[in-house]
Amino acid sequence: IYHNCETEGYTLLECGLPIDKEIKENGEIQFTKLPTSKSITASHFGHFNTIKTTHDALLKYISDNNIEITGSPIEEYITDPMLEPDQSKWETKVYYPIK
């Protein structure tokens, strides 16, 4: 999850793993449950350094259709690059929560 960051040049990034049950927090690991919400979603295929094109396309669609964003964008990494050497097959899902 890419949160807004007030400090120029920095990104506040929240990383997580999907699990099927609640876990006990220990100070370093926190349990967070994402609320159910509507979203605009697209799959990006390619290296991670080209994902801006997918974000830009989603933001243009959102703007062109007067849709309100209600939270921070989320990237879900579907393909493990250690298992798939062909970068054109790397899939990342991009979500923007909307009203």
Side-chain angles (χ1 to χ4, degrees):
I1 303 172
Y2 288 87
H3 298 288
N4 288 332
C5 187
E6 300 289 323
T7 308
E8 186 175 328
Y10 289 90
T11 299
L12 180 56
L13 180 64
E14 181 178 349
C15 299
L17 298 169
I19 57 175
D20 60 0
K21 63 182 177 180
E22 189 169 340
I23 61 168
K24 184 176 179 181
E25 296 184 10
N26 70 6
E28 289 185 28
I29 297 175
Q30 298 178 359
F31 178 79
T32 303
K33 185 174 183 177
L34 295 177
T36 301
S37 65
K38 291 172 56 175
S39 65
I40 299 285
T41 305
S43 286
H44 174 82
F45 289 91
H47 194 277
F48 308 120
N49 65 7
T50 61
I51 200 162
K52 183 179 183 311
T53 59
T54 301
H55 280 276
D56 290 347
L58 284 169
L59 290 170
K60 181 176 182 344
Y61 178 87
I62 289 167
S63 175
D64 289 351
N65 290 279
N66 298 313
I67 298 170
E68 182 181 342
I69 296 173
T70 60
S72 299
I74 298 170
E75 291 181 3
E76 180 183 14
Y77 306 105
I78 304 302
T79 308
D80 182 344
M82 298 300 287
L83 299 177
E84 176 54 68
D86 184 350
Q87 294 179 5
S88 70
K89 295 180 180 177
W90 292 1
E91 181 182 11
T92 304
K93 290 190 178 187
V94 180
Y95 303 88
Y96 278 84
I98 60 168
K99 189 169 187 174

